[in-house]
Amino acid sequence: MKKFRKVLDGLTTSSPVNPGGSPSCGSAAGTPSTAPTPRELEIQETLMSEHFQICKTVRHGFPYQPTALAFDPVQKILAIGTRSGGVRLLGRPGVDCHCQHESGAAVLQLQFLINEGALVTACADDTLHLWNLRQRRPAILHSLKFNRERITFCHLPFQSKWLYVGTERGNTHIVNIESFILSGYVIMWNKAIELSTKTHPGPVVHLSDSPKDEGKLLIGFESGTIVMWDLRAKRADFRIYYDEAIHSVSWHHEGRQFMCSHSDGSLSMWNLRNTAKPFQVTFPHGKTQRDGRKESCKPILKVEYKTSRNSEAFVIFSGGLSYDKAGRRPTLTIMHGKAIIVLEMDYPIVDFLVLCETPYLNEVQEPYAVAVLLEKDFLVVDLTQSNFPIFENPYPMDIHESPVTCTAYFADCPPDIIPVLYSIGAKHKKTGYSHKEWPLSGGTWTVGSQTYPEIIITGHADGSIKFWDATAITLQMLYKLKTSKVFEKPKSGDVGRSAELVEEDPYAIQMINWCPQSRIFCVVGISAHVILYRFSKHDANTTITSLVVRLQCEMEDVISPSDTENTPCFSDPSGLSPQPQPPSPRSNTPDSVRDSNPCLKVKDRMIRMPPGYQAELVVQLLWVDGEPPQQITSLDLNSAYGLLALGNCNGLAVVDYLQKTVLLCMSTLELYGSADPFQRLTRSPRKNRQSTSDFCMRGLSNFHSDSKKRIRTSYQSLTELSDNQVSLDLERSKSPTSDHVNGHCTSPTSQPCPTGRARVPGGPEGPRLARRGPGRPPFRKAQSAACMEVSLPVSSLTEESRENSFSRSRSSSVSSIDRETKEAVTTLQFAESYGRKSDTLPTPCLWVGTSLGLVLIIPMSIPTDEQERQEDPVTVAPTGTVLMLKASVLRFAFLDCGGALINSPYEVWRDQHAPDDPDRPRKRKLVNFSPSSSQEASGDGHLAVVCSERQAKVFFMPSQACLYVHNITESSFVLRADVVSVCNSVCLACFFAKPVILYVCMFYSLPSLRPLLDVNYLPLTDMRIARTFCFTNGGQALYLCSPTEMQRITYSQEMCDNLQEMLGELFTPIETPEAQNRGFLKGFFGGNAQTFDREELFGEAAAGKASRSLAQHIPGQGGMEGMKAAAGGVVGELARARIALDERGQRLGELEERTALMMTSAETFSKHAHEVMLKCKDKKWYQF
């Protein structure tokens, strides 16, 4: 039954559509199409559902909102816990693993089982978890949930299987690490303090065993009480009552003294011989005032007391600055002998650890580095050099150096691009780092066999661009580009209203377009500007060409779609193509001070540009009628054509960047000409325009204040890296195109695009779309990917009414396009295609998709000769060819008649600033992928794949026949769509959100649009995923999972199968270093460290069982069976071999025991038989 249902679904959703009667295609003029049917094409589709599976691969960036830090001194592995329940494990470069607690509770503390390949995490939900790190994907082995007490501190002695757990009530419990069961041995707070004490000592803030005697446990309470508890005698050796609250305690390695940090900014040193008072109290940053009192200082949150053989001891602590020094940055203080070194940090210190050579607490520690975890950074300080330099961090912890506003992912790049970018970027790296190797050297990692060049590009709020090498699931920064250097620095009072609107981030990156083959790079900025860069290995002194574009839409009212249902595609209108109207004369009133001026000023002088990407052209949109330019919603560039196209909600502009001219500047309405599928009425002059002075009097005062307030509010989440969840507006059901166009974002204050709301039926004369007058919404600025809001639909009634708007009914009461909207250009694509049905050969074309679901094809005439291309003009002539889809158009792609993807033509890279070589003149070398070049056997023509927010269609060109159509979703909107290569074939990948529930990934075979995979990927909780998700070839995708982290996933089954080989090993078999021999005299006079059997004290036989209601044991899913299945590589093989040997030895031992039992039983039987024989030997028969 299931198979039959699938067949029916395939017939109803992906069946071929009759070209002649298609409701989505046709022709208004011209001869009938002779396009081949899908059967005639005979395209063999090789992709199956078995080729797809979605799983996370690796996470890059800085752990968002870190809370805890731990280090294994033998394995050299570091762990970072976060507020969202994540754990990041870091080793040598390439060893980077992310784990997540299912509960999502914050990680309070981390404890490594040193050199055991395990980690204990204590979470805010009062649960302890034991993680198995002996597999590439760590898993939880055991969990222990405390029911009646809250966990505040944990301590695990080296080479011990008993974990001490302090609670908020002041009690100390003991947990067996192997079984994760509570011991019956409990240190109650009322037993630890004196009976005469009338107040509760507070929560446990410190636990540690004495380096001199493991049978003594030092317990620190928040109130200032310190207790040395004798575990054997079950009593307190001594108690210390101090006036100041305690934050941390650190032992001297000999176990005779310890140091405490307090809330008043003091450090107290205590000697075990005299615990009545501290023998030393210091205020490291507190100066003595004139009256003899110390300055009040901030608390010292943590102190580490470490000894060294060849130098004096290190005392390292965080905090303790005096309160009177306002504005001082957070500090880490290093006291070494008499020297006090204060290291200022950029962010507050969360935690720090001193890295030492030995894991034994009773030996000289020999510290060599300090790992410092900040709120937004992680660094390691070298203690072996006098100037304390930091190590160069090999992990990409600075992704969020400036908030990420957009991302782009390129797989299978040219192999030479990564070395070139790295060589250029290496010249601009910071200096002053420590010359020693990175101290976190644990784990093993090798480059997998299936690797290809991958590059990730991130755009940032400060206008910077970062190129990252993402090959083999690693991430390393290659090159950084600052787009702000193109513009003059704005002067105070000289930039006018545009700078007031986005003065925080006027250079924020909104879109990225990169051609790896030609190395031409193009970015769109928040201030309605486009910058084109060329790559050069040589520096140059050049001037930047600046072009301005006036895009102003004088839209007419939209009444209804075309009356004809069967012929919605239009082509070849009679008459000449419409020409752009000359701009209206500029007004001289004060309102128009900014008119015909861009938002930013480009440098107009000669500029020296270093090797790398060098700016060549800047295109800016102008202020019009006292209103700032609308944000750019779409962009495409083609290096072979030398053309650049950009669009917004007002219209389309095409720029020739070789001749530095604007070829086309037209509103979307003018592009249709007579083939406009909608009926539009001309507005009356009174309704259409108001006087400039009237606009100034009625709306100007509110315009700037509201714009400034809204834009600053929307940027707050961008610059402050907040992770607040965006609440879904249940009353709205508009398309995300209003805030998200073609994968890029727009301001929350922008107008909604026309595909989102239900069309309201109008009266007999038809509704009118009033042009925005004085009360029109203010400046629509492009918004960043880190703060843009996506509105998802939830109302089925609204969706049904909107769907009815596409029925093309002939009724007089038809639906209208939503009020106060404009038809935005949502996507652009240059391609070799057919602009008209009568074309026999493909020509350069520009495909334009709009927010109304319309597709326009604009053919172009481009000179082929290089000299003529530099001098002769390029002809761009809109033909009026129109195709229709439901909702806003998102993506174009083109296939040949064999089903292979047709790549856009490109120009081979040439260095324009290289020295001239007379023997080898530099000429343009073009690579053209014409659809007719490889189709002699299949016939002329090609397939065009068009995907919108709700629908996907496959057209055959040049007949424009719709071969396949598939309705992707009826209740939601596609957020991202792309045609990607996977498993030597191509498919359509879509990412959308089910209302209020889940994010969904769907994949379709091409060209039949047969569904391959439908996966509910993530809960719908974080809108950042929707804003930054992007697909790439090779079965990979990418999104920002937090303001500081980037998550990579794969949707390829092949890559999922090979993922274990690509990941690094966290655990490597290393022998535990032996304890140092203290010598006879030192041991005799100084006392050896005493050991004791904890099993004897804490075991069930001696201490009994703990109360079942106190804690609940939860078995994990990462037990031995999980480890056998998940472990890979050499360590996994060794582990499996060891397990097999243990099992074999156990079976042999059991066999030997059975044999011994049988022998004993046989001997016993023989003995009893002999005794019976002797007893009955002399008896007669009648005596029995």
Side-chain angles (χ1 to χ4, degrees):
M1 185 65 185
K2 290 184 178 179
K3 291 183 178 179
F4 182 70
R5 187 174 300 171
K6 288 182 179 179
V7 170
L8 287 179
D9 293 341
L11 290 175
T12 56
T13 60
S14 302
S15 60
V17 181
N18 184 7
S22 170
S24 304
C25 67
S27 177
T31 58
S33 169
T34 58
T37 63
R39 294 179 181 176
E40 295 175 358
L41 291 176
E42 295 182 355
I43 298 176
Q44 185 178 2
E45 299 178 6
T46 58
L47 289 179
M48 306 296 292
S49 299
E50 294 75 18
H51 292 120
F52 293 87
Q53 181 183 351
I54 291 185
C55 67
K56 297 180 180 179
T57 54
V58 66
R59 180 172 295 195
H60 303 297
F62 178 77
Y64 184 60
Q65 294 179 333
T67 55
L69 189 65
F71 180 68
D72 187 330
V74 179
Q75 288 289 324
K76 306 289 186 183
I77 293 289
L78 184 126
I80 300 175
T82 67
R83 191 177 299 176
S84 60
V87 177
R88 194 75 167 273
L89 298 161
L90 302 172
R92 67 174 67 248
V95 179
D96 188 343
C97 181
H98 175 263
C99 312
Q100 179 67 41
H101 293 91
E102 292 183 0
S103 64
V107 178
L108 300 180
Q109 196 175 356
L110 300 166
Q111 285 282 323
F112 272 104
L113 276 67
I114 297 178
N115 203 28
E116 293 293 332
L119 175 71
V120 176
T121 59
C123 297
D125 59 352
D126 306 309
T127 306
L128 298 173
H129 303 276
L130 177 64
W131 291 83
N132 178 21
L133 307 183
R134 291 177 178 247
Q135 55 193 59
R136 302 194 183 210
R137 291 277 191 175
I140 294 178
L141 295 173
H142 302 282
S143 297
L144 188 65
K145 169 72 174 176
F146 280 75
N147 297 322
R148 295 186 295 182
E149 298 193 53
R150 308 214 62 178
I151 300 172
T152 56
F153 195 87
C154 298
H155 170 64
L156 180 64
F158 178 48
Q159 293 181 329
S160 169
K161 68 175 183 178
W162 298 96
L163 174 71
Y164 301 111
V165 182
T167 67
E168 192 175 29
R169 294 186 179 180
N171 303 325
T172 302
H173 301 274
I174 301 171
V175 179
N176 188 319
I177 290 296
E178 293 179 350
S179 61
F180 238 56
I181 298 176
L182 273 178
S183 169
Y185 193 109
V186 184
I187 305 174
M188 306 298 292
W189 68 270
N190 53 357
K191 299 291 183 65
I193 64 174
E194 293 179 348
L195 297 177
S196 59
T197 305
K198 297 181 180 180
T199 59
H200 191 279
V204 176
V205 296
H206 178 79
L207 292 169
S208 62
D209 48 346
S210 170
K212 188 176 181 181
D213 186 358
E214 294 179 352
K216 303 292 179 68
L217 182 67
L218 188 69
I219 307 175
F221 297 92
E222 189 180 49
S223 62
T225 302
I226 300 175
V227 177
M228 177 69 85
W229 185 261
D230 190 334
L231 295 171
R232 302 184 190 89
K234 299 183 180 180
R235 62 179 178 83
D237 275 4
F238 64 83
R239 299 178 178 88
I240 296 174
Y241 299 95
Y242 197 67
D243 296 335
E244 295 295 334
I246 293 176
H247 286 283
S248 67
V249 181
S250 184
W251 280 96
H252 188 277
H253 79 276
E254 293 180 351
R256 299 177 182 177
Q257 58 188 19
F258 58 87
M259 181 180 292
C260 301
S261 66
H262 301 280
S263 58
D264 62 346
S266 64
L267 297 173
S268 61
M269 186 78 76
W270 300 83
N271 197 310
L272 298 189
R273 294 182 179 179
N274 181 15
T275 57
K277 63 177 181 178
F279 75 88
Q280 184 181 2
V281 177
T282 59
F283 289 82
H285 295 297
K287 297 181 181 178
T288 305
Q289 300 177 350
R290 293 182 179 179
D291 55 1
R293 294 183 302 176
K294 290 284 186 179
E295 288 180 328
S296 59
C297 298
K298 299 176 183 179
I300 295 179
L301 301 178
K302 185 175 182 180
V303 64
E304 292 269 13
Y305 185 22
K306 302 298 180 182
T307 55
S308 179
R309 250 186 218 92
N310 301 324
S311 63
E312 298 187 52
F314 285 88
V315 177
I316 303 172
F317 61 90
S318 61
L321 292 178
S322 60
Y323 280 105
D324 62 346
K325 296 179 180 178
R328 285 286 297 273
R329 293 191 291 181
T331 60
L332 181 75
T333 305
I334 302 175
M335 299 174 62
H336 188 209
K338 296 181 180 180
I340 299 179
I341 297 93
V342 179
L343 305 178
E344 290 190 345
M345 304 295 170
D346 294 331
Y347 307 103
I349 298 175
V350 175
D351 198 1
F352 73 90
L353 287 175
V354 180
L355 311 186
C356 302
E357 295 288 351
T358 177
Y360 297 95
L361 297 179
N362 57 356
E363 296 180 357
V364 179
Q365 298 299 292
E366 293 293 346
Y368 59 89
V370 182
V372 187
L373 179 64
L374 308 178
E375 278 191 1
K376 298 177 183 178
D377 200 1
F378 173 72
L379 54 91
V380 181
V381 182
D382 188 357
L383 294 179
T384 60
Q385 300 184 38
S386 58
N387 58 341
F388 301 118
I390 65 173
F391 290 90
E392 185 177 4
N393 197 329
Y395 315 120
M397 294 287 188
D398 58 345
I399 291 178
H400 64 287
E401 182 180 12
S402 176
V404 178
T405 56
C406 65
T407 58
Y409 194 0
F410 299 88
D412 202 9
C413 299
D416 59 336
I417 190 68
I418 291 180
V420 169
L421 288 174
Y422 181 79
S423 62
I424 297 296
K427 300 177 182 178
H428 305 284
K429 281 191 175 182
K430 297 180 181 179
T431 58
Y433 293 111
S434 173
H435 299 292
K436 294 192 174 182
E437 293 184 359
W438 180 249
L440 308 181
S441 57
T444 57
W445 178 78
T446 56
V447 179
S449 58
Q450 296 181 347
T451 59
Y452 44 83
E454 300 175 69
I455 290 181
I456 294 174
I457 304 177
T458 55
H460 300 264
D462 62 352
S464 61
I465 302 287
K466 291 182 179 179
F467 291 77
W468 305 85
D469 178 10
T471 305
I473 72 171
T474 61
L475 195 70
Q476 182 181 6
M477 195 175 81
L478 297 172
Y479 176 70
K480 183 177 179 180
L481 174 67
K482 294 182 179 180
T483 62
S484 59
K485 293 184 177 180
V486 174
F487 303 99
E488 299 282 359
K489 292 184 179 179
K491 299 178 181 178
S492 58
D494 188 39
V495 277
R497 299 191 293 259
S498 63
E500 292 180 5
L501 294 170
V502 288
E503 62 183 7
E504 289 89 355
D505 301 301
Y507 311 110
I509 305 301
Q510 184 183 358
M511 296 182 212
I512 292 172
N513 191 294
W514 185 47
C515 178
Q517 291 80 11
S518 63
R519 303 184 187 178
I520 294 181
F521 185 64
C522 197
V523 297
V524 174
I526 196 80
S527 299
H529 63 269
V530 179
I531 310 176
L532 185 140
Y533 292 88
R534 286 184 181 268
F535 187 83
S536 176
K537 296 181 180 179
H538 307 274
D539 56 358
N541 295 319
T542 59
T543 56
I544 303 172
T545 304
S546 177
L547 295 178
V548 292
V549 176
R550 180 188 179 95
L551 273 180
Q552 176 68 10
C553 178
E554 295 293 337
M555 281 193 64
E556 299 171 337
D557 291 349
V558 179
I559 293 303
S560 70
S562 174
D563 293 337
T564 305
E565 180 177 354
N566 294 330
T567 59
C569 297
F570 303 87
S571 64
D572 298 334
S574 59
L576 299 176
S577 60
Q579 298 297 326
Q581 298 297 326
S584 58
R586 178 182 173 186
S587 174
N588 295 325
T589 56
D591 304 39
S592 305
V593 173
R594 294 288 301 174
D595 280 359
S596 301
N597 287 327
C599 297
L600 300 173
K601 184 180 180 182
V602 181
K603 293 180 179 178
D604 55 359
R605 61 183 182 275
M606 186 74 69
I607 303 174
R608 182 190 175 277
M609 297 184 182
Y613 273 103
Q614 301 168 351
E616 178 179 299
L617 176 67
V618 177
V619 182
Q620 293 179 285
L621 302 188
L622 300 175
W623 283 61
V624 179
D625 295 338
E627 180 181 341
Q630 305 298 310
Q631 82 280 359
I632 298 172
T633 57
S634 56
L635 174 77
D636 193 37
L637 176 141
N638 190 281
S639 58
Y641 302 159
L643 299 180
L644 168 70
L646 58 97
N648 66 359
C649 65
N650 286 334
L652 169 70
V654 180
V655 177
D656 185 345
Y657 67 80
L658 295 179
Q659 299 184 17
K660 309 296 190 298
T661 58
V662 179
L663 300 178
L664 180 72
C665 180
M666 301 176 69
S667 67
T668 314
L669 176 60
E670 294 171 328
L671 292 174
Y672 293 115
S674 61
D676 188 0
F678 297 101
Q679 297 178 7
R680 311 175 193 248
L681 296 181
T682 307
R683 289 181 294 277
S684 62
R686 179 176 298 179
K687 196 172 185 179
N688 183 32
R689 299 187 62 87
Q690 305 221 2
S691 66
T692 312
S693 59
D694 190 25
F695 174 81
C696 179
M697 294 298 294
R698 298 171 58 183
L700 192 58
S701 59
N702 296 329
F703 171 78
H704 296 292
S705 60
D706 292 345
S707 301
K708 187 173 180 180
K709 184 186 300 182
R710 293 182 185 181
I711 288 183
R712 287 186 177 178
T713 302
S714 63
Y715 267 92
Q716 188 172 3
S717 61
L718 167 74
T719 55
E720 295 181 0
L721 294 180
S722 63
D723 196 33
N724 299 328
Q725 296 180 357
V726 181
S727 61
L728 294 176
D729 189 350
L730 299 182
E731 297 179 358
R732 298 195 302 175
S733 63
K734 69 178 183 178
S735 161
T737 312
S738 59
D739 297 302
H740 189 284
V741 180
N742 196 21
H744 306 287
C745 23
T746 59
S747 169
T749 62
S750 63
Q751 313 163 38
C753 281
T755 62
R757 300 181 184 173
R759 303 185 178 183
V760 183
E765 297 180 1
R768 290 175 177 267
L769 178 61
R771 185 182 186 272
R772 295 179 300 160
R776 61 203 292 184
F779 184 26
R780 285 170 23 105
K781 269 296 182 182
Q783 195 53 278
S784 73
C787 66
M788 185 272 305
E789 176 187 356
V790 175
S791 303
L792 297 176
V794 294
S795 173
S796 59
L797 179 62
T798 306
E799 295 306 322
E800 291 176 2
S801 60
R802 185 190 180 280
E803 181 64 27
N804 293 335
S805 66
F806 287 96
S807 63
R808 315 301 181 215
S809 173
R810 295 175 181 265
S811 173
S812 59
S813 59
V814 293
S815 300
S816 67
I817 295 180
D818 193 13
R819 297 180 181 275
E820 297 189 39
T821 62
K822 292 183 180 180
E823 186 177 5
V825 177
T826 56
T827 183
L828 296 166
Q829 179 76 48
F830 287 104
E832 292 282 324
S833 185
Y834 302 87
R836 303 171 184 84
K837 287 187 176 183
S838 58
D839 290 349
T840 58
L841 293 176
T843 58
C845 292
L846 174 62
W847 284 61
V848 182
T850 73
S851 55
L852 292 184
L854 303 179
V855 178
L856 297 94
I857 308 175
I858 303 176
M860 299 172 294
S861 176
I862 302 176
T864 56
D865 182 72
E866 182 174 0
Q867 186 65 27
E868 294 178 353
R869 180 64 186 86
Q870 299 291 338
E871 299 175 356
D872 295 348
V874 176
T875 304
V876 180
T879 62
T881 300
V882 179
L883 310 175
M884 275 190 168
L885 285 86
K886 296 179 181 178
S888 177
V889 181
L890 298 179
R891 186 70 171 91
F892 297 124
F894 304 97
L895 310 177
D896 61 22
C897 291
L901 184 66
I902 302 175
N903 296 312
S904 298
Y906 63 85
E907 175 189 2
V908 178
W909 173 75
R910 55 195 178 104
D911 196 339
Q912 292 188 333
H913 298 294
D916 293 332
D917 187 356
D919 298 332
R920 302 178 61 184
R922 294 195 301 270
K923 293 184 178 180
R924 295 186 72 210
K925 183 180 179 181
L926 306 182
V927 177
N928 191 9
F929 298 95
S930 175
S932 62
S933 60
S934 60
Q935 296 177 18
E936 290 82 2
S938 300
D940 295 334
H942 68 85
L943 303 178
V945 182
V946 186
C947 184
S948 71
E949 289 178 344
R950 287 192 172 182
Q951 195 178 54
K953 289 186 178 182
V954 177
F955 297 93
F956 184 82
M957 305 301 291
S959 67
Q960 303 171 15
C962 183
L963 303 183
Y964 298 95
V965 58
H966 181 82
N967 294 322
I968 299 174
T969 176
E970 298 295 338
S971 60
S972 183
F973 294 94
V974 176
L975 301 170
R976 184 78 181 189
D978 209 343
V979 175
V980 293
S981 299
V982 58
C983 298
N984 298 321
S985 188
V986 291
C987 68
L988 173 64
C990 298
F991 179 76
F992 65 95
K994 290 184 178 179
V996 196
I997 306 174
L998 292 166
Y999 286 117
V1000 180
C1001 290
M1002 294 191 69
F1003 300 90
Y1004 302 92
S1005 177
L1006 290 177
S1008 67
L1009 297 177
R1010 172 173 49 91
L1012 296 171
L1013 182 68
D1014 183 354
V1015 177
N1016 296 331
Y1017 178 58
L1018 286 171
L1020 185 59
T1021 56
D1022 190 357
M1023 291 301 158
R1024 183 177 294 104
I1025 299 174
R1027 300 187 295 264
T1028 59
F1029 196 97
C1030 57
F1031 293 100
T1032 190
N1033 296 326
Q1036 298 196 71
L1038 161 73
Y1039 61 88
L1040 286 182
C1041 54
S1042 75
T1044 63
E1045 293 173 288
M1046 184 187 300
Q1047 179 69 54
R1048 293 166 65 181
I1049 66 173
T1050 179
Y1051 50 88
S1052 168
Q1053 179 66 56
E1054 182 182 3
M1055 190 169 184
C1056 289
D1057 296 339
N1058 298 326
L1059 188 57
Q1060 291 293 330
E1061 298 179 2
M1062 302 170 67
L1063 297 175
E1065 291 274 5
L1066 291 169
F1067 178 79
T1068 53
I1070 301 175
E1071 292 187 5
T1072 303
E1074 296 181 358
Q1076 296 178 359
N1077 188 3
R1078 296 170 61 86
F1080 173 76
L1081 294 177
K1082 192 169 185 179
F1084 181 79
F1085 292 104
N1088 281 314
Q1090 301 181 20
T1091 59
F1092 76 108
D1093 187 2
R1094 294 185 176 89
E1095 181 71 29
E1096 186 178 337
L1097 281 176
F1098 307 144
E1100 185 176 338
K1105 292 184 178 181
S1107 173
R1108 292 185 178 181
S1109 62
L1110 183 60
Q1112 176 187 1
H1113 175 258
I1114 305 172
Q1117 299 179 355
M1120 191 63 65
E1121 292 81 10
M1123 187 184 74
K1124 289 179 183 177
V1130 178
V1131 175
E1133 295 295 335
L1134 290 175
R1136 285 192 287 270
R1138 187 182 303 168
I1139 292 170
L1141 288 174
D1142 291 343
E1143 292 174 351
R1144 183 172 180 271
Q1146 185 178 0
R1147 288 195 294 268
L1148 289 175
E1150 292 174 356
L1151 178 62
E1152 186 176 354
E1153 290 176 359
R1154 291 197 193 99
T1155 304
L1157 288 173
M1158 291 176 64
M1159 291 177 63
T1160 304
S1161 178
E1163 291 176 358
T1164 304
F1165 178 81
S1166 175
K1167 181 179 178 181
H1168 285 299
H1170 185 68
E1171 290 175 354
V1172 170
M1173 185 267 294
L1174 293 177
K1175 186 176 180 180
C1176 301
K1177 180 178 180 181
D1178 299 326
K1179 289 185 178 183
K1180 301 298 182 182
W1181 63 271
Y1182 53 83
Q1183 293 178 329
F1184 288 101

